[in-house]
Amino acid sequence: QVVESGGGSVQHGGSLRLSCKVHGAILSTFSGAMMAWYRQAPGKERELVATVSPERNTNYKDSVKGRFTISRDNGKRTAYLQMNSLNVEDTAVYYCKINSPYISTESSWGQGTHVTVSS
């Protein structure tokens, strides 16, 4: 089970740290999986924000580069998204996804955590 936390309401320029814990995953499954953060703003499609590979290689959506940092702690079965210099356009529901051949698609997504940035 994927569970996100850490969302909330902040003002423009503020920071939040999102967490994504994968419950029930053994270490090898989590450590071998690509972890990803997506977001979906009101009225828009879900979009990929950042990924971190098992080798800890990271990729980011252009609009968040330099502001967001994705990381992982395999021992805690947790991925993180540190978000700095937030702006109104970052307002969305943020979802975490674990990409593993050992976890079904239905179980790979969390329920999301809301992030609201006010001007």
Side-chain angles (χ1 to χ4, degrees), residues 6-9 16 18 92-94 112-116:
S9 296
L16 284 173
L18 306 184
V93 179
Y94 284 72
T113 186
H114 290 255
V115 172
T116 302

Side-chain angles (χ1 to χ4, degrees), residues 3-80:
V3 179
E4 303 97 337
S5 62
S9 296
V10 296
Q11 289 190 329
H12 175 89
S15 298
L16 284 173
R17 188 194 195 203
L18 306 184
S19 297
C20 167
K21 187 170 178 65
V22 181
H23 295 269
I26 61 175
L27 179 58
S28 60
T29 295
F30 184 88
S31 61
M34 174 82 77
M35 297 300 298
W37 284 97
Y38 290 76
R39 69 186 182 187
Q40 187 166 17
K44 295 187 177 181
E45 295 187 353
R46 192 172 298 189
E47 62 181 7
L48 180 63
V49 175
T51 62
V52 57
S53 73
E55 298 79 20
R56 302 181 188 273
N57 296 318
T58 59
N59 279 288
Y60 299 93
K61 176 180 173 60
D62 284 347
S63 63
V64 308
K65 286 181 180 177
R67 300 189 297 123
F68 290 11
T69 303
I70 189 171
S71 61
R72 64 192 298 157
D73 184 333
N74 291 337
K76 294 182 179 180
R77 316 296 195 269
T78 301
Y80 303 96

Side-chain angles (χ1 to χ4, degrees), residues 2 22 25 29-30 33-36 96-100 103 107-108:
V2 178
V22 181
T29 295
F30 184 88
M34 174 82 77
M35 297 300 298
C96 178
K97 186 178 189 296
I98 179 169
N99 296 289
S100 169
I103 297 177
S107 299
S108 63

